[in-house]
Amino acid sequence: MSLLVTGTVAFDAIETPFGKTDKIIGGAATYVSLAASYFTGSVGLIAVVGDDFPQTYIDFLKSRGIDTSGLQVKEGEKSFFWSGRYFNDMNSRETLITELNVLADFDPIVPSGLDAPDYLMLGNLAPKVQSTLISRLSKRPKLIAMDTMNFWMDVAMDDLKETLKMVDVLTINDEEARQLSGEYSLIKASRKIREMGPKYLIIKKGEHGALLFYNDKVFFAPAMLLEDVFDPTGAGDTFAGGFIGWLAKTDDISFENMKRAIIYGSALASFCVEKFGTDNIVNIDENLLQERVAAFKELSYVEMLP
Ligand code: AMP
């Protein structure tokens, strides 16, 4: 099934307790589309970059089967730039710089070949742009998932609430769920957020796994235990790309299949954090991925005695 992805395609500069990078390639849509490309050959990308963004990387995205006809390159302008620093536990970070640059007046134009996707992943981006993109599709996708972050809650809460009314699944981290709902308890937060629009809510808890809420059901998936975590940047987006990519591949949006999608998303995210930026997700070996999915199953499987 076809999948359309939007979000930032960007430069990031990252500081973790293990090192520091200059400007490297990042952006929510970069991670989402790369991750999804492991499951479906039909990924379209709607995003914007400046003429400082390397054509070689756009060519690389194409080589992963990603349709970049909706990626606008603005002459004479600079790409979105984000810089962040992680604290010692790597579970929390602070944003040092957000330069919107080319994103400030991004108009998401959808090429005609991409305007009727079966699945839509609205990666982290201005909520107004996310809703504009939905309104430009020729039919409503079977499932619309959305990611956002505290930055947009701070600067565009009203737009965010409008966009939330239009989506089926929201993925955010625990801190953002608390900010959005004003509730500390994640159960109460999940109820309040689902009253805002999305029927499904995924709360990402970094190295402590992820929770899926739907009606009165909750599913919890742990995160993979890893020897080395170098850089959590993009883990949430890689998770989201794996999640929606699996749903698009299987074309099954039952709760049971969403649980599988969460495991695939978590497995891909576990690769992401082992190196800086996108380095470890550009070429994941299929056998390694399956091994990690099996390890996930093993991690919390227990056969109870009658
Ligand atoms: P994650 O670690 O999954 O939350 O995503 C990190 C990615 O999000 C980085 O590659 C950034 O370029 C991108 N990013 C950071 N801030 C924003 C923002 N305000 N809007 C959209 N994307 C952002």
Side-chain angles (χ1 to χ4, degrees):
M1 293 288 135
S2 59
L3 168 66
L4 191 63
V5 172
T6 192
T8 42
V9 172
F11 288 120
D12 293 341
I14 302 156
E15 249 183 88
T16 82
F18 301 103
K20 201 173 162 173
T21 69
D22 284 328
K23 282 190 175 181
I24 57 170
I25 304 240
T30 310
Y31 287 100
V32 171
S33 53
L34 276 174
S37 72
Y38 286 94
F39 297 116
T40 164
S42 182
V43 181
L45 174 63
I46 306 291
V48 65
V49 289
D51 62 7
D52 52 354
F53 197 80
Q55 181 61 40
T56 46
Y57 205 87
I58 300 177
D59 292 340
F60 164 70
L61 294 175
K62 281 188 200 159
S63 76
R64 292 273 338 151
I66 298 163
D67 182 334
T68 58
S69 59
L71 176 64
Q72 302 170 35
V73 182
K74 295 281 181 188
E75 292 301 320
E77 294 189 45
K78 282 163 74 180
S79 302
F80 176 82
F81 173 63
W82 175 81
S83 168
R85 178 166 48 209
Y86 289 84
F87 299 107
N88 276 343
D89 71 353
M90 301 271 260
N91 245 359
S92 48
R93 72 179 175 207
E94 62 177 331
T95 290
L96 302 174
I97 303 170
T98 301
E99 282 175 11
L100 293 178
N101 296 331
V102 81
L103 204 68
D105 52 6
F106 175 37
D107 183 26
I109 296 163
V110 187
S112 57
L114 297 179
D115 69 347
D118 300 299
Y119 291 80
L120 175 64
M121 179 69 223
L122 301 168
N124 196 4
L125 195 64
K128 187 79 194 157
V129 177
Q130 293 174 317
S131 60
T132 301
L133 177 57
I134 298 175
S135 71
R136 289 188 176 162
L137 301 179
S138 60
K139 69 170 179 56
R140 192 190 193 279
K142 188 165 177 179
L143 192 85
I144 303 178
M146 165 183 174
D147 186 55
T148 190
M149 74 184 283
N150 49 0
F151 179 85
W152 300 112
M153 293 175 199
D154 295 337
V155 305
M157 188 58 122
D158 290 345
D159 288 344
L160 178 59
K161 287 192 171 161
E162 282 309 304
T163 308
L164 279 174
K165 291 180 191 159
M166 305 164 85
V167 308
D168 304 301
V169 185
L170 176 68
T171 69
I172 45 174
N173 71 30
D174 41 2
E175 204 184 310
E176 291 155 353
R178 291 183 170 121
Q179 181 174 348
L180 182 59
S181 64
E183 294 285 353
Y184 183 80
S185 149
L186 292 182
I187 297 197
K188 287 185 186 161
S190 86
R191 253 185 243 125
K192 269 202 180 169
I193 293 170
R194 285 178 294 151
E195 280 164 12
M196 297 177 187
K199 294 187 287 293
Y200 302 87
L201 174 68
I202 296 174
I203 299 185
K204 300 167 287 181
K205 291 166 64 63
E207 66 171 334
H208 305 299
L211 291 157
L212 166 66
F213 295 88
Y214 173 61
N215 287 337
D216 53 358
K217 297 180 195 159
V218 191
F219 172 68
F220 171 69
M224 194 74 212
L225 278 171
L226 297 167
E227 298 233 355
D228 296 307
V229 175
F230 277 104
D231 171 20
T233 307
D237 305 312
T238 304
F239 170 90
F243 172 81
I244 197 88
W246 175 260
L247 295 181
K249 173 188 165 93
T250 52
D251 194 25
D252 172 359
I253 56 171
S254 65
F255 187 71
E256 280 311 299
N257 201 45
M258 283 202 187
K259 292 183 188 175
R260 289 182 206 110
I262 283 192
I263 299 298
Y264 278 105
S266 305
L268 281 172
S270 74
F271 285 99
C272 178
V273 302
E274 286 178 316
K275 287 195 182 156
F276 274 101
T278 58
D279 281 4
N280 212 32
I281 58 162
V282 288
N283 196 10
I284 301 174
D285 179 89
E286 172 67 22
N287 291 329
L288 280 183
L289 177 59
Q290 292 310 334
E291 269 174 33
R292 226 162 249 200
V293 169
F296 258 100
K297 243 181 104 180
E298 191 67 20
L299 193 58
S300 49
Y301 180 78
V302 54
E303 197 173 340
M304 302 300 286
L305 294 174

